[in-house]
Amino acid sequence: MVQPTLASVQGQRRNSTHSVSEAQKTIVDTLAVLAEPGQVVELRIPGLNGRRTDSGYFTDWTKLAQAAASYNNRAEGIYVTVNPLQPALLARSSNRMTEYAKQSTSDKDILRRRWLFVDFDPVRPSGISSSDAEHEAAIARATQCRDWLAEQSISSVLANSGNGAHLLVPVDLPNDDGSTALLKMVLQVLSARFSDEVVEIDTSTVNAARIIKLYGTTACKGDNVLDRPHRRAALLDVPETLRPIDRTHLDQLIAGDLDEASTDQEETATRPTNRVRAGLKPSSERYSGSGRVEIVNIKAQFDMVAYAEQTLGVSAMADGHEYRLPGQKGFLINPEKGCWYHHGGQFGGDALDLVGYLRFGSSWDRQDATNFKTVLSEAAQFAGVEWQETTTRKRKDPPNGKKTNKSKQADDTESSEPKPAKPPKVDLMNLAQAWKQRYANTLAWDANVPAWRRWTGTHWQIIREPDTLDLFAVEIIHAMGLPVSNIGTVDSVIRLARALCKRQFLPSTRLINFQNGTLDLDTMTGHPHTVADNLISCLPYDYSKKGDYPTIADFLRDTIPDEEARRAYMTHLGLALCNDQTLHKALVLIGPPRSGKSTLLKLAQSLMGVSAGNFPTAILFSSESRGANSRATWIDHSPRLVCLDEFPEEAVRDDGEELFKSMTAHGGVSMWLKYKDERSENAWTPKLMFATNNRMRYRDSSGALTRRLLIVECPNSLTDVQLDLKLDTKFTPELGAFATACIALALEVLDTQKYPESAAMRALLMDIERNGDAVKLWVAENCIFEPNAFTTTHMLYENFRGWCEENGLHAVSRPKLRDMLYGYRAGVHSAKRRTAEADTGSTKPLWGMVGIRLRTLADDMREG
């Protein structure tokens, strides 16, 4: 291999003499190394103007290079994906850039892993370029690591990132959780060997959709000053032969380094282990008092969410794939990644860091070795793992190669003892079949999520901590009389077991799970919970077929005096319990403050089995990326019914109106659903319910939005004396009987396909619609519909515009007014008629509307 010299690195230092054509050629040459011909590559420029991200998908390297060159020196960095993408992603932005891109490549879009990315970053303040000394130190450290990998028969590409250095190691692995865990351990091994206070290896670059600096472009962190210049990223050395390494080779690399790390730790056991966070890795990745394998085992079985809940005395709330703990010491915990961090902050770590923080008030790796032992012991106890502080010392020969008498005696003793027989080779399929035989009725793989589910006795619940599956695999391996030699065997058993333990978990519209059994809506009879029903949720109360609900009934009569409106409210809840998506209605509760609207929402949430009082905001109806994230979160949290303690008027205007209509009609909307195909799995399934103090105002020229709304009025406002603050808890014993009544109403409505709706409800909805639409309100006050009437368009529009000015409303254009009048009444249409002029007798054409005329004084007197 050609080793980079200081002069060759300094040749990349500044880009002032690097022409655009040269940059484009460098980019094309780079892609020829990193990607296969025809492979889809995303070009992404994040942080433009501080908030904008541009993105494009390319198979044409020349066009990609031209696009990248147009952004050079304008953005902090220009990046590309390196692992092969789904070819369908090209349709997002085919061989061109899209400004303000709403979507980018996610881990699920990666077909296979082709590269392990190792980032050598010099330690310095964030947001600035590295100095020449820091840059050269990173190049030198990457070169050392590259040489060491070469000794392990692993080839790699060396690159200058502009501020540090990169190594790209060719691999050939599937894109699954096992590969992610394996590559994560490889990065930890390299970091433990090559990271220090000067240069550190970033161990977070392990995700499959990782983007890297596009070599040939300029890294522009901070200002371009003399001692910290902007530099051009470039490939420094590419081996003639790049042979991908497989999982077995990586397992051997990890196992070999663990042995060496254990020996190195024992030699320095007497030294203090105080370490600052920027520079050195936590002690859990260097300490070997019980061996790193034991530490990894403790982490895998440690439930961070449960530990934080117990220690802080709070309850965690699911937030997508993370769990949020409220309070000043709140955390976001991601069990899938095994990490935690503060709200809005960067500080955090793994499971042992969490124990140390809650145990000592700061990360334990800032303390001494005694504190670490305390943390590890407490974590092991909470995880239910036996751990003893023992150290197996390895004998090392003196540096001069001469053995001491003790060494010779030990060698003689070892040579006289018979060597243990090698364990039999593992048949992974036999292990997977043993898994199925033991766990077929308690564990199942849900390919739609995808995740493992566990039978709880009432329903199939997602296993929140995937690493706990390792324990089941270890139990199977030990039961077969085999040792657990490496984590790769455990991963392989779990992966093969997936294929043998698949189940279809589809939402059922004919079965409802209660605590005391499952209700069959076809026969209205119940039966015990069974594994074969494949139900994934259970309502936290009993079904009561003949029970009564007097407290709830009295509350509903006081809150909703209109009997049909009460039936509409209960019908909506019943349809939500039945997972109905055929009737497209959203229910709106309107009334003054303290009229019981929020309590009605909480009653609905309790009936659906979700925590009462947690409501989304109007962001739920945003067309931006945060709206997609909110919808994905709430469809997981409350799949039957989503309640909002407000009506998002700003969300039902312009583009938001179409989104609102699609959600109320259970159509497709954009959602950030992990491992889901948005083209076929983006249906919004929950019913919607709102509460508002004021009458809504919205424009709905087609009437489609109005047809999807049910208005329920709550007219009675209570005083402080009349308020019952414990009313929510009084509802709980009656939920089963109330659910029975709601389901009965829902089944009736499913037969008639029509919600209960009183004349008062329809009148209130019509009044709201007119007040929200200036044209409809003008027609109601100023126009008469007659079959043969003819009014010129000029007269209609002048009257409409004058009325809007008097009432302070915005007047639409004349063509828009004409188009809207078409849809208000059958028979209204435009026509051209000829009229004679009084002076000359000549005729001229006039355009107007047939079927509508302006109201006159005679009309008012007749109606009076």
Side-chain angles (χ1 to χ4, degrees):
M1 299 182 186
V2 178
Q3 300 299 327
T5 64
L6 177 59
S8 67
V9 175
Q10 290 175 336
Q12 319 294 338
R13 186 165 298 162
R14 290 176 174 83
N15 66 320
S16 57
T17 60
H18 192 62
S19 67
V20 174
S21 60
E22 290 175 331
Q24 293 181 12
K25 183 180 183 303
T26 302
I27 293 171
V28 171
D29 293 342
T30 294
L31 293 171
V33 174
L34 301 181
E36 297 291 336
Q39 176 180 322
V40 177
V41 174
E42 181 192 1
L43 173 64
R44 193 187 309 168
I45 298 90
L48 284 166
N49 301 325
R51 56 187 176 86
R52 163 183 153 197
T53 295
D54 290 0
S55 172
Y57 291 83
F58 294 84
T59 54
D60 188 324
W61 303 155
T62 301
K63 291 183 179 179
L64 187 151
Q66 292 171 350
S70 67
Y71 287 95
N72 205 25
N73 297 309
R74 292 171 48 201
E76 187 175 280
I78 299 173
Y79 302 88
V80 291
T81 55
V82 290
N83 287 316
L85 311 184
Q86 295 279 0
L89 295 187
L90 185 65
R92 286 182 178 172
S93 184
S94 179
N95 288 301
R96 63 178 181 83
M97 295 298 290
T98 297
E99 296 181 352
Y100 296 96
K102 296 181 180 179
Q103 295 174 314
S104 59
T105 305
S106 61
D107 290 343
K108 68 178 182 181
D109 298 323
I110 302 301
L111 295 174
R112 196 166 182 82
R113 287 182 175 269
R114 295 299 187 192
W115 294 99
L116 167 62
F117 175 57
V118 189
D119 184 11
F120 295 81
D121 198 21
V123 177
R124 67 191 189 281
S126 62
I128 62 174
S129 298
S130 60
S131 66
D132 288 345
E134 292 167 344
H135 186 217
E136 291 153 8
I139 298 288
R141 189 66 52 81
T143 304
Q144 294 172 8
C145 180
R146 192 188 193 208
D147 292 341
W148 182 78
L149 289 173
E151 294 173 2
Q152 320 301 319
S153 301
I154 297 176
S155 59
S156 58
V157 175
L158 177 63
N160 161 27
S161 69
N163 289 309
H166 294 165
L167 286 182
L168 291 106
V169 180
V171 298
D172 186 13
L173 298 171
N175 179 24
D176 56 19
D177 295 340
S179 297
T180 301
L182 177 65
L183 296 180
K184 178 72 172 180
M185 293 186 68
V186 172
L187 289 180
Q188 291 174 347
V189 165
L190 296 179
S191 179
R193 179 178 288 271
F194 293 102
S195 290
D196 59 16
E197 297 89 343
V198 179
V199 178
E200 64 178 5
I201 293 178
D202 187 353
T203 59
S204 66
T205 61
V206 74
N207 62 303
R210 169 63 51 176
I211 54 176
I212 70 169
K213 194 70 62 60
L214 177 57
Y215 308 118
T217 63
T218 305
C220 300
K221 278 193 175 181
D223 290 340
N224 186 15
V225 296
L226 185 62
D227 58 337
R228 293 187 178 274
H230 293 170
R231 305 180 186 87
R232 178 170 53 87
L235 293 174
L236 296 180
D237 186 49
V238 180
E240 294 182 1
T241 302
L242 280 171
R243 185 181 62 186
I245 54 177
D246 56 16
R247 183 182 296 274
T248 302
H249 201 156
L250 293 173
D251 284 335
Q252 294 172 352
L253 175 69
I254 295 170
D257 189 78
L258 289 178
D259 293 339
E260 295 181 14
S262 178
T263 303
D264 295 341
Q265 178 64 30
E266 290 153 15
E267 291 180 344
T268 60
T270 58
R271 294 185 295 190
T273 59
N274 292 337
R275 304 182 185 276
V276 294
R277 192 163 184 84
L280 290 183
K281 302 309 292 180
S283 304
S284 63
E285 299 185 9
R286 294 177 177 270
Y287 182 83
S288 61
S290 183
R292 192 187 304 184
V293 174
E294 285 76 9
I295 296 176
V296 171
N297 188 35
I298 292 173
K299 290 182 183 180
Q301 301 176 54
F302 185 81
D303 189 332
M304 288 192 289
V305 177
Y307 181 82
E309 286 180 331
Q310 174 180 298
T311 306
L312 299 175
V314 297
S315 297
M317 176 181 174
D319 188 359
H321 296 279
E322 296 176 331
Y323 290 83
R324 185 183 301 274
L325 286 96
Q328 294 181 350
K329 290 187 177 180
F331 302 109
L332 284 177
I333 297 178
N334 190 319
E336 291 184 359
K337 298 180 179 179
C339 65
W340 66 274
Y341 52 92
H342 280 291
H343 293 177
Q346 300 299 321
F347 180 82
D350 59 13
L352 297 184
D353 284 320
L354 178 61
V355 177
Y357 185 83
L358 298 179
R359 186 77 167 77
F360 301 111
S362 63
S363 183
W364 55 262
D365 62 342
R366 299 182 181 179
Q367 310 294 326
D368 55 26
T370 302
N371 284 345
F372 167 69
K373 296 173 186 176
T374 303
V375 167
L376 191 60
S377 176
E378 183 170 328
Q381 181 178 1
F382 189 84
V385 178
E386 293 186 4
W387 177 81
Q388 296 179 352
E389 187 185 343
T390 58
T391 303
T392 304
R393 292 183 174 272
K394 289 191 173 183
R395 187 184 69 256
K396 296 190 72 175
D397 293 333
N400 56 11
K402 296 180 180 180
K403 295 185 178 181
T404 62
N405 291 334
K406 290 184 178 180
S407 299
K408 293 179 180 179
Q409 291 175 2
D411 288 345
D412 294 339
T413 302
E414 291 176 358
S415 61
S416 62
E417 295 178 356
K419 295 183 178 180
K422 292 184 178 180
K425 292 185 177 180
V426 179
D427 188 330
L428 296 177
M429 183 53 71
N430 287 343
L431 294 174
Q433 290 172 344
W435 172 296
K436 178 182 178 181
Q437 184 176 0
R438 177 172 295 193
Y439 301 126
N441 290 326
T442 55
L443 295 175
W445 174 251
D446 185 352
N448 293 322
V449 176
W452 282 94
R453 293 185 180 273
R454 179 185 300 175
W455 175 250
T456 65
T458 59
H459 64 288
W460 290 92
Q461 185 180 51
I462 289 180
I463 297 178
R464 190 173 63 185
E465 285 280 358
D467 290 342
T468 59
L469 293 166
D470 294 348
L471 297 177
F472 296 111
V474 169
E475 184 178 347
I476 291 295
I477 296 172
H478 285 169
M480 298 288 286
L482 299 173
V484 181
S485 56
N486 57 65
I487 194 66
T489 303
V490 174
D491 292 339
S492 299
V493 172
I494 297 173
R495 188 166 61 253
L496 289 175
R498 295 176 185 174
L500 301 178
C501 299
K502 283 185 179 179
R503 280 182 180 267
Q504 286 292 328
F505 297 98
L506 300 177
S508 174
T509 58
R510 309 309 299 172
L511 296 176
I512 304 178
N513 236 0
F514 295 88
Q515 285 282 31
N516 58 341
T518 303
L519 175 65
D520 189 334
L521 297 179
D522 291 327
T523 61
M524 290 306 294
T525 58
H527 62 259
H529 300 116
T530 61
V531 171
D533 284 340
N534 293 330
L535 298 179
I536 60 176
S537 64
C538 181
L539 296 171
Y541 52 85
D542 291 346
Y543 176 70
S544 179
K545 186 174 183 180
K546 297 181 180 180
D548 200 2
Y549 50 97
T551 306
I552 296 177
D554 290 342
F555 167 72
L556 291 178
R557 279 192 295 269
D558 294 339
T559 308
I560 309 175
D562 187 337
E563 182 179 355
E564 287 299 296
R566 286 198 303 273
R567 288 169 54 83
Y569 171 79
M570 294 175 62
T571 299
H572 201 64
L573 299 186
L575 291 171
L577 288 173
C578 296
N579 286 319
D580 168 68
Q581 298 176 24
T582 60
L583 295 175
H584 303 160
K585 291 285 188 178
L587 189 138
V588 183
L589 303 168
I590 296 181
R594 298 185 177 183
S595 59
K597 301 185 302 300
S598 296
T599 306
L600 286 170
L601 295 182
K602 293 178 182 179
L603 173 60
Q605 291 178 316
S606 299
L607 199 69
M608 301 303 136
V610 299
S611 55
N614 294 322
F615 305 116
T617 65
I619 293 175
L620 187 74
F621 299 96
S622 172
S623 59
E624 299 177 358
S625 58
R626 59 179 185 164
N629 187 31
S630 177
R631 287 186 288 275
T633 299
W634 282 97
I635 201 172
D636 285 340
H637 177 264
S638 185
R640 287 186 171 97
L641 175 71
V642 172
C643 300
L644 284 84
D645 201 9
E646 60 178 319
F647 187 83
E649 295 183 19
E650 67 279 4
V652 295
R653 298 170 184 160
D654 302 325
D655 295 339
E657 180 179 340
E658 295 303 318
L659 181 61
F660 186 89
K661 292 175 184 176
S662 183
M663 292 174 68
T664 53
H666 305 290
V669 294
S670 81
M671 288 185 283
W672 285 358
L673 295 171
K674 192 174 183 182
Y675 304 115
K676 297 288 187 180
D677 188 347
E678 192 171 301
R679 294 168 297 183
S680 59
E681 299 174 282
N682 63 345
W684 175 260
T685 56
K687 296 281 186 187
L688 291 171
M689 185 180 294
F690 308 91
T692 178
N693 296 335
N694 304 311
R695 296 189 179 187
M696 310 92 70
R697 292 179 63 88
Y698 62 88
R699 292 181 58 190
D700 181 24
S701 58
S702 66
L705 183 59
T706 301
R707 288 193 295 272
R708 291 187 171 93
L709 293 178
L710 278 172
I711 305 299
V712 172
E713 189 171 17
C714 305
N716 302 322
S717 181
L718 302 180
T719 64
D720 291 341
V721 178
Q722 294 172 315
L723 288 175
D724 186 351
L725 301 179
K726 296 183 179 180
L727 189 59
D728 295 350
T729 58
K730 297 178 181 179
F731 292 157
T732 303
E734 302 177 0
L735 289 177
F738 184 57
T740 303
C742 292
I743 292 171
L745 287 173
L747 295 178
E748 292 178 10
V749 168
L750 287 175
D751 290 336
T752 62
Q753 292 291 297
K754 186 177 181 181
Y755 267 83
E757 191 173 11
S758 65
M761 293 172 64
R762 289 191 293 270
L764 181 57
L765 177 59
M766 185 62 66
D767 184 63
I768 291 172
E769 180 190 24
R770 288 174 177 175
N771 281 280
D773 191 323
V775 176
K776 288 187 177 181
L777 189 57
W778 169 76
V779 168
E781 293 184 4
N782 297 276
C783 296
I784 297 291
F785 290 101
E786 288 183 356
N788 298 321
F790 177 82
T791 310
T792 64
T793 307
H794 175 75
M795 291 179 62
L796 289 172
Y797 188 71
E798 287 300 314
N799 184 277
F800 169 69
R801 188 171 62 179
W803 179 86
C804 287
E805 291 176 355
E806 291 176 1
N807 291 275
L809 299 175
H810 172 71
V812 300
S813 65
R814 180 182 298 184
K816 181 68 174 178
L817 175 65
R818 182 190 60 205
D819 293 340
M820 293 175 69
L821 291 176
Y822 285 157
Y824 286 168
R825 185 68 62 91
V828 177
H829 61 277
S830 62
K832 182 173 66 173
R833 294 187 177 180
R834 304 190 70 85
T835 60
E837 293 186 0
D839 298 335
T840 63
S842 61
T843 61
K844 64 177 183 179
L846 288 176
W847 283 98
M849 303 291 294
V850 175
I852 187 173
R853 65 175 175 81
L854 293 174
R855 180 183 292 272
T856 65
L857 181 60
D859 295 317
D860 295 336
M861 294 177 64
R862 188 182 309 113
E863 292 179 1

